[in-house]
Amino acid sequence: MASSSRVDYEINSDPFDPECVIASFNALLGELTEKEKLLLERIRGKEDNTSPKYTDQEERDLINKQIRKSQGFDVDFSKFRCLFDFYPSFLDERHSTLIRETDRRFFGRLAQESIAGYNTREGTSFKFVEVDKANLYRNRGYTYFITFVAKDSCDQTRVFQAKVCNVFCREIEHSFCRLKPGQKGECDEDSKRVVKKPRYNTRSNKRLGVTMNVS
């Protein structure tokens, strides 16, 4: 089981934990098929003399290092010549035949649910604008790392990150939603949050529901 001290946005790399995220090779044996080569070129871009060349194991170590460092949201796929089970979404296509809409619309709905939960928790009023990108990890279903844009009540945009699990492609679980780390400036919404003060009984000048024993 995962350690109780692990923060939810930290990447779990314990292979014995069902929530583990470790990129592995899609194909362990043989050459890539023509279809796989075309897919790799779409993910990585065309290879030229300046493209980095690593061994397969070096690539595996590098992609997992990037996943851990960015918590799964920012990976430079141009560095890899191997296909992994962690890869970027093509937003105008469908990543699964079980989904009846494009990834852009699908991840947009998940992002709207995520920002709604964030607003409830933080007392803000951000509104979803658009999906910027999404990374997918396929293992016992999918784990989605969605980067999206939302705007505050002053129409200023902020970048958010949401991690969502699609358990066995049936059940959606929202792990977390947060402002992308490292953004400059204070969020305007922060100064507009309403902090609820404890209610007091005006007759007794004591909090409601609290009694005192008088000897």
Side-chain angles (χ1 to χ4, degrees):
M1 296 296 293
S3 170
S4 59
S5 63
R6 184 176 62 84
V7 181
D8 195 28
Y9 57 74
E10 293 178 346
I11 290 297
N12 183 347
S13 56
D14 179 359
F16 297 102
D17 193 302
E19 296 182 357
C20 168
V21 177
I22 298 180
S24 300
F25 300 111
N26 259 0
L28 295 178
L29 299 174
E31 294 289 330
L32 294 177
T33 65
E34 288 302 316
K35 183 177 180 180
E36 289 172 332
K37 289 179 181 178
L38 290 174
L39 174 60
L40 181 58
E41 185 173 298
R42 292 186 67 193
I43 293 174
R44 180 199 60 208
K46 288 191 175 182
E47 189 175 12
D48 56 32
N49 293 333
T50 63
S51 301
K53 292 179 173 59
Y54 303 102
T55 66
D56 291 357
Q57 188 57 50
E58 286 174 337
E59 286 198 6
R60 186 175 185 271
D61 292 342
L62 180 58
I63 190 173
N64 282 300
K65 180 180 179 180
Q66 291 189 21
I67 290 170
R68 289 191 300 271
K69 182 178 180 180
S70 68
Q71 286 96 45
F73 294 97
D74 295 307
V75 173
D76 184 0
F77 292 97
S78 68
K79 295 182 178 296
F80 308 120
R81 294 184 295 165
C82 296
L83 283 175
F84 295 95
D85 53 7
F86 189 101
Y87 52 93
S89 163
F90 300 113
L91 292 177
D92 293 319
E93 301 176 13
R94 294 182 299 166
H95 70 276
S96 170
T97 56
L98 299 177
I99 296 174
R100 304 302 181 186
E101 56 195 335
T102 65
D103 281 7
R104 189 179 303 278
R105 291 179 62 88
F106 177 69
F107 292 134
R109 287 196 297 105
L110 296 182
Q112 289 180 63
E113 294 172 3
S114 293
I115 199 65
Y118 179 92
N119 285 334
T120 299
R121 185 177 68 253
E122 300 294 333
T124 51
S125 56
F126 285 99
K127 293 183 179 180
F128 169 79
V129 176
E130 63 180 354
V131 173
D132 178 43
K133 62 180 179 178
N135 292 332
L136 299 83
Y137 174 63
R138 188 177 67 248
N139 183 25
R140 300 185 183 91
Y142 288 93
T143 302
Y144 306 128
F145 300 87
I146 308 168
T147 301
F148 66 95
V149 178
K151 63 181 179 180
D152 60 21
S153 56
C154 298
D155 281 342
Q156 292 187 330
T157 58
R158 306 284 285 180
V159 179
F160 282 81
Q161 296 173 329
K163 177 183 175 183
V164 182
C165 298
N166 191 352
V167 184
F168 295 107
C169 300
R170 293 193 304 269
E171 181 181 351
I172 297 294
E173 295 181 356
H174 289 267
S175 293
F176 69 84
C177 178
R178 67 177 183 185
L179 281 162
K180 182 176 181 178
Q183 294 184 75
K184 295 182 179 180
E186 292 292 330
C187 174
D188 287 347
E189 291 283 336
D190 291 342
S191 62
K192 298 179 181 180
R193 296 180 187 176
V194 177
V195 179
K196 295 183 179 180
K197 297 181 179 180
R199 292 179 60 195
Y200 286 85
N201 185 321
T202 55
R203 295 183 62 185
S204 63
N205 201 32
K206 293 190 286 290
R207 290 188 183 183
L208 288 175
V210 177
T211 59
M212 295 181 63
N213 293 324
V214 179
S215 57

